[in-house]
Amino acid sequence: MGPWETLGNPCVGGNKVFRSTTFFAQGTYVVPLPGVHGAFMFMADRWNPADLRDSRYLWLPLVVGGTADKPLESSFGFPMWSRVSVYWHRQWRLPSGGGKDIT
């Protein structure tokens, strides 16, 4: 599919332990935010092994930064970007659209 490069940890904010453990969660899904170019919602699950009924979901803003490069060398046609960032927030609101910054 082309040359690979290490982009580093996409997690931004919180402390070092939060960032190194993807905010104590495992990524589950990414949903595009309509009307906000390059913005997505990162969904993850956070297990509580002591009480599985108390396991939670984590929904955080994910931003794709940089300009789109050439398409991948495959039929997928996805563009490649220079940086992906997932931002830690205790609380945040979905943007109302119109290109507003979600970070």
Side-chain angles (χ1 to χ4, degrees):
M1 291 182 62
W4 295 93
E5 77 180 87
T6 300
L7 297 178
N9 188 345
C11 299
V12 178
N15 62 37
K16 184 177 180 178
V17 175
F18 249 41
R19 289 187 303 271
S20 68
T21 61
T22 317
F23 311 115
F24 292 106
Q26 60 184 8
T28 305
Y29 197 67
V30 174
V31 176
L33 296 177
V36 186
H37 180 72
F40 302 83
M41 184 167 39
F42 171 78
M43 294 184 282
D45 51 82
R46 186 182 283 171
W47 289 90
N48 179 354
D51 185 0
L52 289 177
R53 293 178 299 172
D54 191 37
S55 296
R56 307 291 171 115
Y57 290 104
L58 185 65
W59 301 38
L60 293 171
L62 180 147
V63 175
V64 178
T67 57
D69 293 331
K70 60 185 179 184
L72 293 174
E73 297 175 11
S74 69
S75 61
F76 297 122
F78 297 120
M80 295 189 297
W81 288 278
S82 60
R83 179 74 178 148
V84 174
S85 300
V86 178
Y87 292 89
W88 170 253
H89 294 278
R90 286 186 178 274
Q91 292 183 350
W92 66 285
R93 294 176 189 247
L94 288 172
S96 60
K100 293 184 179 178
D101 187 10
I102 66 168
T103 60

